[in-house]
Every structure is written in structure tokens, then in C-alpha cells.
Amino acid sequence: MIEPTGQHLIDGDWVSSDAKFTSTPLTGPGVEVSEGTAAEVDRAAKAAEACFASVSAMPVERHAALLRRIAAHIDDQGDAITAYGVAETGLPNARLVAERGRTVGQLRLFADYIESGDQLDQRHDPAQPDRSPVPAPDLRLVQRPIGPVAVFGASNFPLAFSTAGGDTASALAAGCPVIVKGHPAHPATGEIVARAIASAVSDEGYPAAMFQLVQGSTHDLGRALVEHPLISAVGFTGSLGAGRALFDLCARRPVPIPFFGELGSINPVFVLPHALAARGAELAKAWAASLTMGAGQFCTNPGLIVLPKGPEGDAFLDVAVAALQEVAAQPMLTTGIADDFINKTQQIAKMSTLAFQGQTKDRDVTPFISCVSASEFSANPALRHEVFGPFGLVVRTPDPESTLSLAKELDGQLTCTLQVDEGDAPEARQLLAILERKAGRILANGFPTGVEVASAMVHGGPYPASTNFGHTSVGTMAIRRWMRPVSYLDLPDYLVA
Ligand code: NAP
């Protein structure tokens, strides 16, 4: 099995820094990892820019071959990736095997997609020399890659949203060199994946700087990356606080750049009265299962449920709590994330009526459920913030009007869900009209954990769910973040690509 070295990958060389940090896996020894600085970022950004002209001129078939080769090398390293991933994150083996499948699936999906040419969105308005009163020029529009892209690995998806995750796959598919800032919670996993990518870059005859990795555990590294003048755009998944800080840095640069951040969401679920009456117990069990999947460490965790007041709503809550009592403590991704969960749930406990709280110990946590009335929710904006982990807030609404009012007060979300039967249609239609302004994705009679990687998927939404409502970080449309339209006027045939 490959042994991680804790080094950066810069312009094809594996290099160390003087300063180091030691990783803190859930099990097994930590790895000594080089602390990247502005000097490593500068070298990587210059190398990425130096190769941009050649890679952006390559035919899409070459990018497709690179993506498929990366997927094949990741498959070859599957056992090592899973072993380091399980040790570092505490996520179960089966989850990481499935996440690896999704990761290579995304790479292959982008390979197929770019071969279709759809991402180029080519448009042609032929010249009209005889148009009166003025002739029209010949116009050709095409989407072109934007330049070197910085990607921040996410703690909660060490594979599918990290080193070779969706941001990296879509940027490489666009023809952009990528510099990944590895997440300090899983440096060994990240390095093994980076080695697979580097082999593919070499096999396919790409410049070595098409993919680079910098590691570190200080905010200075992330800041240096987004502030570097040769970086053209940033992909990020993580907390609202960090995402907002980096977004503001991007906006304050002498030349501002787009920051595509996927930040916080509480993913409200609306249980409508007919659905509640028909299958309340079934829905309660399904909500409890969704809430605790992966210790609730999903950006799409259904952390807010809106439930009608009355005996059927009470019975729903009883069934959900009974199901949650059966859930064993699960390790969180890092000690910091576990501490954050405990602190935030303690704060929520002071503002709400506790429905269920289990035991927590070290990195292991159990679910936490609390209840408030619609008016309490409305009066307390602190209840609208994401609590990352197996946390659910239940809001009891006395009538459909207060459910609609609550929906109007919500911040931007990645997802909103309706549990609905045909008899709920009038209320559901009114809710839909409100929720489609709130979320990137609306589900009916499902739960939001788990996302289909496909062409019609949106994984984004109004702020604070994301920093740019026009984008998705999952699915083929994700490539749009790394391309921009250029219109060519009266370009002679001998220059048309
Ligand atoms: P994070 O704190 O947002 O960090 C994400 C990345 O940004 C890391 O590479 C981090 O590296 C860097 N970073 C953080 N603050 C920064 C700053 N001020 N300036 C520059 N870079 C900065 O996320 P996390 O480490 O994954 O977990 C912490 C919290 O994030 C969790 O408690 C959870 O609430 C949230 N989270 C949310 C989602 C979601 O999908 N909504 C996903 C994962 C995590 P350094 O620490 O090395 O600077």
C-alpha cells in the first residue's frame, strides 16, 4: 500500500515545507504534513498559469481521456484510499466505497458530457451584410475555460467533494488547471488520490501543473490561495463562516474573482396534514434515518421539520424519538466538529423544548431533537442556523397560514422537501410558489440526504446555501462555473476553431 509523505505536489514535484502539522485520524497514527505557505501557492499558481495556454487549446477528447484515466487510477488505489479514509474520517468502510464509486462516476460523467460538446453552448448569428439600416456582423459565441482554479477539499466528503471531487472534475473537464487545498482532516487520503491524478496527468501527456496539491492547517494558506493574482475562480464546500470570509477576500481583490461556495443549509421538510394522517409513522422513521445518516454530516441534512400541531403531529414525534433512541453514537469527522455540535446544541437547548438527547463522548455523538412553536421560531433568528451533525429542530405550526408564513421567513436553502398527498395539493401549491424562491432543489415525498449526480441536478441555492445562485456543484452544469462566454465578431474562416 502507498505510504503518504505529507508533501505538496507542485509542478510535478513532491515537495516539503519546513513547518509541519500532525494529522489526527480517528484511528491509527497521524501523518506529519507540510504546512503550505504563500511561497508554495505562488509557485503552484505560476506553474498553472504557464500551462494554461497549451491545455486550454487542447481538444475536448484529450480532457475526456484525462478524466477517464484519473478514474482508472483511483479505482486501482481503491483499497488504500478506503483504508486511509476510514482511519482519518471515522466514516464507515461501505460509505467510503460508495463515495469512491460516486467520485469515479463523476469523472466519467464529465468525460462523456464534454465529448457531446454541449458545454461549449456554441451559438452562431450569420452576418447580414444587406440588413438595413445597418448590416449585422457575423457572431460566434463559445464558452472558453477561465484559467487556473483553486479548490478547497471538504471535510465531510473526503472523496466526492475533495481532491478528485466534483469541483476538480468539472474544472479539468473545462480545460482549467486545478490547485487543490487539501482538507487538514484527511491529508493522507487526499495525497493518495492526488498521486493517482498525477499519474494520469503524466500518462496522458499533460503539463504536470494541470493538477497540483497544497496541504496545510492554517487559514493563511487558504487566504494566500484565493488572493493570488493568477487564480481565476474558487470552488469551496464548508462552513458559512469560512466560506463568507473567503468570499469577501475574493471580492476585495484588486481584480475580484468568482467564489463558488457551497455553505450552510437547514433543508426544511414540510409535513402536510393529509400526508401526516396517512403515513405519519412511516415518515417519522424515514426522517430519523435521514437525520442520522453519516452522523448527520451532510450539507443536505433535514435539520428543520415543520409539523402541524395536534395529536397526529405528537404521534409523529413519539415515533421519531423512539427510532432515534436506537441509534448508536457515531464518530464525527474531527474533534472540532464534534465540539461545535455539542456547543451549538447546548445553545439551542436554552431556546427550545428538548425532545431527545443521547450521550456524547469525545468525537462520538448521538442525535439531538428540540421543539419550538411557529411564533418562537419566527422570533428567534438564531434557530435558523445550521447545526452540523445529527440535529433536528421541530417547528409545530397551528394552521396552514402559519406554515406559509414560516416558509416566507426562511433563508436560502440547498433543498426544501414536501411530504404531501393529493388532498394537500392546495396548500402544497402555495408552498411551492414560496419555496422555489428559497431553494435550489425541491423534493416531494423523499428526504434530501443523497444527491443524484446527473444533468438535471442542482446542488446550490440562494445565499447562504451558496454564494452564487446560478451555479450547481453537482451534475454536469457544474462545469459552467469554470467557463465564460466569448463572442467573436467577423472572425475569418481560417481562424474559426
Ligand atoms: P471549514 O471550517 O469551513 O473549513 C473549510 C476549509 O476552509 C478548510 O480547508 C479550512 O482550512 C479553510 N478555512 C476555514 N476558515 C478559513 C478562513 N477564515 N480563511 C481561510 N481559510 C479558511 O469547514 P470544516 O473544517 O469542514 O468544518 C467546520 C464546520 O464546517 C463544521 O462544523 C460544519 O458546520 C461546516 N461544514 C459544513 C458543510 C456543508 O456542507 N454545509 C460541510 C462541511 C463542513 P484551515 O482550517 O486549514 O484554514
Side-chain angles (χ1 to χ4, degrees), residues 268-272 275 279 283 415-422 424 428-429 432 435 441-448:
V269 176
F270 293 84
V271 184
L272 299 190
R279 52 203 158 85
L283 291 174
T415 71
C416 287
T417 300
L418 297 180
Q419 301 299 346
V420 58
D421 272 2
E422 205 169 346
D424 297 309
R429 279 195 206 98
L432 270 178
L435 298 181
R441 187 167 6 138
I442 296 177
L443 295 86
N445 295 328
F447 283 91

Side-chain angles (χ1 to χ4, degrees), residues 152-153 155-156 181-184 216-219 222-223 236-239 242 245-246 262-264 299 337 340 344 386 388:
F152 284 69
S155 61
N156 60 338
K181 180 206 176 283
H183 197 286
S217 68
T218 72
H219 293 355
R223 284 193 208 111
F236 174 91
T237 300
S239 65
L246 293 166
E262 194 250 271
L263 313 177
C299 44
I337 290 178
D340 193 53
K344 284 187 176 151
E386 180 186 46
F388 193 65

Side-chain angles (χ1 to χ4, degrees), residues 55-260:
V55 296
S56 66
M58 287 180 181
V60 292
E61 290 73 18
R62 292 220 35 208
H63 300 328
L66 174 64
L67 294 166
R68 292 191 181 106
R69 183 80 73 161
I70 294 170
H73 281 301
I74 289 175
D75 279 340
D76 290 346
Q77 293 303 323
D79 291 345
I81 290 167
T82 306
Y84 282 112
V86 168
E88 291 191 317
T89 65
L91 294 169
N93 193 78
R95 150 74 195 271
L96 283 173
V97 170
E99 192 180 323
R100 177 158 47 82
R102 171 174 161 184
T103 305
V104 295
Q106 287 172 169
L107 289 157
R108 293 180 175 123
L109 176 77
F110 277 108
D112 294 345
Y113 178 63
I114 60 177
E115 282 175 340
S116 76
D118 287 353
Q119 77 286 4
L120 302 175
D121 190 14
Q122 297 194 72
R123 299 160 191 229
H124 183 203
D125 294 320
Q128 299 176 55
D130 302 329
R131 194 181 70 174
S132 176
V134 284
D138 181 271
L139 288 170
R140 287 173 192 274
L141 181 147
V142 67
Q143 300 279 338
R144 296 292 299 144
I146 52 168
V149 166
V151 170
F152 284 69
S155 61
N156 60 338
F157 276 89
L159 305 175
F161 277 92
S162 285
T163 319
D167 289 348
T168 299
S170 53
L172 294 177
C176 295
V178 171
I179 303 173
V180 169
K181 180 206 176 283
H183 197 286
H186 54 255
T189 314
E191 181 182 330
I192 306 300
V193 174
R195 286 183 182 276
I197 302 174
S199 299
V201 164
S202 166
D203 291 351
E204 291 297 327
Y206 270 75
M210 186 64 176
F211 173 82
Q212 303 178 91
L213 170 73
V214 288
Q215 308 250 37
S217 68
T218 72
H219 293 355
D220 289 347
L221 179 61
R223 284 193 208 111
L225 195 53
V226 305
E227 287 186 327
H228 198 285
L230 295 176
I231 296 296
S232 299
V234 181
F236 174 91
T237 300
S239 65
L240 178 57
R244 182 59 198 247
L246 293 166
F247 172 85
D248 288 345
L249 285 179
C250 287
R252 281 204 300 268
R253 288 167 42 126
V255 178
I257 54 169
F259 177 83
F260 296 103

